[in-house]
Amino acid sequence: MQDKDMVNDVLSMLNASLTNYTTAIAESCNQQLRQTLTQIRNADEQFQFQLSQKAEQKGYYKPAPPANSNDIQ
């Protein structure tokens, strides 16, 4: 497996995990569990951001271009 494939696979798995954490947080009634899941989700979001920046620098990942003002309106 190439480095690019591994990085993109990890980014994909992180995105899925972030979605699952968000769902679990929203559905949890236990405040301590919610706080723990929130901390884990926040750490994963930070890692995902850092990894995506590295991937972009190496040319492994190309984010979507910014929307122009006409598309936004």
Side-chain angles (χ1 to χ4, degrees):
M1 191 177 240
Q2 299 290 328
D3 287 348
K4 178 181 178 178
D5 297 326
M6 287 188 283
V7 168
N8 284 322
D9 194 38
V10 170
L11 286 171
S12 178
M13 288 187 298
L14 280 168
N15 286 337
S17 292
L18 292 170
T19 299
N20 291 334
Y21 282 128
T22 300
T23 300
I25 292 164
E27 294 178 357
S28 176
C29 294
N30 182 301
Q31 188 60 32
Q32 188 175 10
L33 177 59
R34 289 174 65 99
Q35 288 175 345
T36 300
L37 291 173
T38 300
Q39 290 170 348
I40 294 169
R41 185 200 59 202
N42 291 346
D44 277 1
E45 284 178 347
Q46 186 62 33
F47 177 67
Q48 187 272 345
F49 179 70
Q50 292 170 345
L51 183 59
S52 67
Q53 285 183 317
K54 292 287 184 189
E56 188 176 353
Q57 289 171 358
K58 292 186 173 275
Y60 296 166
Y61 173 77
K62 183 174 175 159
N68 65 46
S69 59
N70 291 336
D71 290 339
I72 293 171
Q73 296 192 17

